Amino acid sequence: MADMKRVILSLLLLAGWNEAALSSPPPPPQRIVSLAPALTETLFSIGLGDRIAGVTNDCDRPKEARRKPKIGGMANPSLEAIVSLKPDMVVMTNDGNPKVISDRLARLGIKTYIFKSRRLAEIPDGIREMGQALGAGPASEHLAGNIETALHDIALLPDGNNASEAVLGGGRKTLFVLWTSPLIVAGPGTIVDDAMKIAGLSNIASDAGVAYPRFSVETVIERQPDLILIGKMSDDMKTASKGFLASVNGLKAVKKGRICFMGDALYRPGPRIPEGMKELIRCGKMP
């Protein structure tokens, strides 16, 4: 009888162990490949830098990212280079990475996490979700909370009024240039457009049908921006912008010197977003 009890107890313990094993979450990814600079910055910020197996040629922050193996550009990553790194997770974005890469990775049985936050207000939750997927929930929650607090403080003055109306007078017509040849600008439904609204700037491309429309010089001249912001898409945007600025030198914005060369923080949806917002507001206050 005692032997029978021991057998039953062993079976129950074994059943319990099996149930626990089956319900245990999978181990977090140990070899992560990042296909976007903002995601790489976020991975380092939430303490996953040691698990990054590869990054794009565009991933230049923090400086440790530059020493990681490269898999090509953000818009044209090499599938072969990604696979050769034997990742157990590839993090990518639906706002810059080609969908065909995620489809081909799926067919190869390689897991992907796709960061989908495309608006300013969506970034903190996007970071939380990515952190959970990578086994870094507490760190991602901390980072997301810090960004929310910073954005809230930036957007609101102590009296609760929108910073833009009170500080800038509101409504200054603004062009945000992402690239000059062809001329690509920030349109509606983008982080830049959201930030411009908070800063009290009127985006002259807000009625475009796509997020990043091509503009002609004629359209820019017709819409008469009061301020031209030029984002950093290469190391020397001042040189890259000479031709464009010469073609619109009759605009009041150019004559008055209201040309502001910005960094890349504003359109990298990661830990430096508050820095980008502050930069935009500083540029918006140009006399």
Side-chain angles (χ1 to χ4, degrees):
M1 190 61 182
D3 289 343
M4 180 60 73
K5 287 183 177 179
R6 280 196 293 273
V7 170
I8 293 173
L9 179 60
S10 297
L11 290 173
L12 289 174
L13 289 172
L14 181 60
W17 182 86
N18 283 336
E19 184 177 354
L22 289 172
S23 61
S24 297
Q30 298 300 311
R31 291 187 60 78
I32 303 169
V33 169
S34 169
L35 301 192
L39 301 183
T40 299
E41 290 186 39
T42 301
L43 292 174
F44 274 99
S45 289
I46 60 177
L48 299 183
D50 291 343
R51 297 192 210 164
I52 298 177
V55 299
T56 74
N57 299 335
D58 309 306
C59 295
D60 54 358
R61 288 173 179 267
K63 62 181 180 182
E64 290 83 357
R66 301 171 192 167
R67 296 195 289 269
K68 295 289 185 180
K70 300 297 188 290
I71 52 78
M74 180 178 173
N76 57 346
S78 164
L79 183 68
E80 291 73 19
I82 296 171
V83 173
S84 71
L85 293 172
K86 297 180 170 51
D88 50 10
M89 179 70 78
V90 176
V91 295
M92 52 195 305
T93 171
N94 63 352
D95 196 19
N97 292 139
K99 185 176 183 302
V100 64
I101 291 295
S102 63
D103 293 341
R104 295 179 70 182
L105 288 170
R107 286 198 291 272
L108 292 171
I110 297 176
K111 293 181 180 178
T112 59
Y113 179 84
I114 300 178
F115 189 86
K116 298 178 180 175
S117 300
R118 305 181 74 170
R119 307 298 295 269
L120 191 62
E122 296 171 348
I123 293 172
D125 279 345
I127 290 173
R128 288 188 178 95
E129 290 173 7
M130 188 172 79
Q132 289 288 347
L134 300 178
S140 63
E141 174 61 38
H142 180 73
L143 174 60
N146 285 345
I147 292 174
E148 283 176 334
T149 300
L151 291 179
H152 180 269
D153 291 346
I154 290 168
L156 297 178
L157 291 175
D159 62 3
N161 293 323
N162 186 281
S164 54
E165 298 297 329
V167 176
L168 304 174
R172 176 177 275 180
K173 292 194 297 181
T174 304
L175 174 70
F176 195 108
V177 176
L178 293 167
W179 192 244
T180 56
S181 183
L183 182 59
I184 307 292
V185 305
T190 62
I191 290 171
V192 173
D193 188 60
D194 291 340
M196 290 169 77
K197 289 174 181 171
I198 292 174
L201 303 174
S202 176
N203 184 2
I204 68 167
S206 63
D207 61 345
V210 296
Y212 301 104
R214 283 192 182 193
F215 256 34
S216 66
V217 169
E218 291 75 19
T219 301
V220 174
I221 294 173
E222 178 186 333
R223 299 196 174 193
Q224 294 283 316
D226 302 310
L227 172 68
I228 297 176
L229 308 178
I230 300 178
K232 182 182 178 183
M233 294 297 281
S234 75
D235 288 337
D236 189 1
M237 284 304 292
K238 289 187 178 180
T239 299
S241 302
K242 281 184 177 178
F244 163 67
L245 292 176
S247 67
V248 295
N249 60 7
L251 292 174
K252 186 168 59 178
V254 179
K255 291 179 177 176
K256 290 185 174 292
R258 294 198 198 111
I259 312 296
C260 192
F261 291 91
M262 295 182 56
D264 54 17
L266 190 59
Y267 44 83
R268 287 194 180 187
R272 292 188 297 122
I273 274 290
E275 176 187 327
M277 274 295 309
K278 292 177 182 176
E279 186 179 25
L280 180 71
I281 290 175
R282 282 197 302 272
C283 288
K285 294 164 68 174
M286 292 181 76

